[in-house]
Amino acid sequence: MSKSEEPGSPDRPEQRPDDRPERISDAEHAVMEVLWDHGTASAADVCAVVCTKRGWSLATVKTLLSRLVQKSAIAARPDGRRFLYTPLIARADYVGGESRRLVNRLFGGNAASLVAHLAETEALSEDDLNEIAALMKELRP
């Protein structure tokens, strides 16, 4: 196994309990989706899901996995001659953080402005509007 395939250094902690991981790229997100769906997977397992769709090689997947280990988004543990990778951040936590980042960056922190924008640009279907209304009823006492 080459040095670039080795996950993180031994003196580096496996998790960053209170820190959010560094920003995850779109390509890294595709890898995270596989890990979130499977829980634990090898590089070959991830490649079986994403390589054909994205035109990637196994080497590309290994590079992305290595970056995610360095960002403390996933953990790697040896399993014979390969590594198994497991997410350290939950999908819901990631989605929540990215949603807040989007609302802050594009709408000044005002989520109502996001919903208004989606409604004005007709990006919300009737079903979407009904679901939002139902959620609002649940949130209000």
Side-chain angles (χ1 to χ4, degrees):
M1 176 166 294
S2 75
K3 185 76 173 159
S4 66
E5 294 172 356
E6 292 177 8
S9 65
D11 58 340
R12 183 181 168 137
E14 284 294 323
Q15 296 186 36
R16 295 163 55 181
D18 294 326
D19 293 331
R20 273 191 254 156
E22 291 178 46
R23 194 78 194 264
I24 295 172
S25 72
D26 288 342
E28 293 163 346
H29 181 255
V31 170
M32 289 298 298
E33 285 292 339
V34 175
L35 294 175
W36 283 323
D37 288 345
H38 292 85
T40 297
S42 68
D45 297 333
V46 173
C47 189
V49 176
V50 298
C51 284
T52 302
K53 280 190 266 188
R54 294 189 167 250
W56 291 349
S57 68
L58 180 59
T60 300
V61 169
K62 287 181 178 181
T63 297
L64 293 168
L65 288 164
S66 178
R67 288 180 189 165
L68 288 164
V69 168
Q70 290 172 351
K71 291 179 179 184
S72 298
I74 64 174
R77 74 174 196 282
D79 181 53
R81 296 184 54 160
R82 66 183 185 165
F83 284 92
L84 295 178
Y85 300 90
T86 306
L88 293 176
I89 55 175
R91 179 186 270 141
D93 292 340
Y94 175 75
V95 168
E98 286 299 298
S99 299
R100 282 187 299 281
R101 194 174 287 131
L102 172 76
V103 169
N104 288 338
R105 186 167 45 98
L106 297 180
F107 298 97
N110 186 340
S113 295
L114 167 64
V115 175
H117 173 76
L118 292 173
E120 289 168 4
T121 59
E122 299 178 10
L124 297 176
S125 68
E126 191 65 34
D127 288 342
D128 292 331
L129 293 171
N130 290 335
E131 192 172 336
I132 290 169
L135 286 170
M136 294 305 299
K137 281 184 182 179
E138 286 179 27
L139 292 173
R140 292 196 173 164

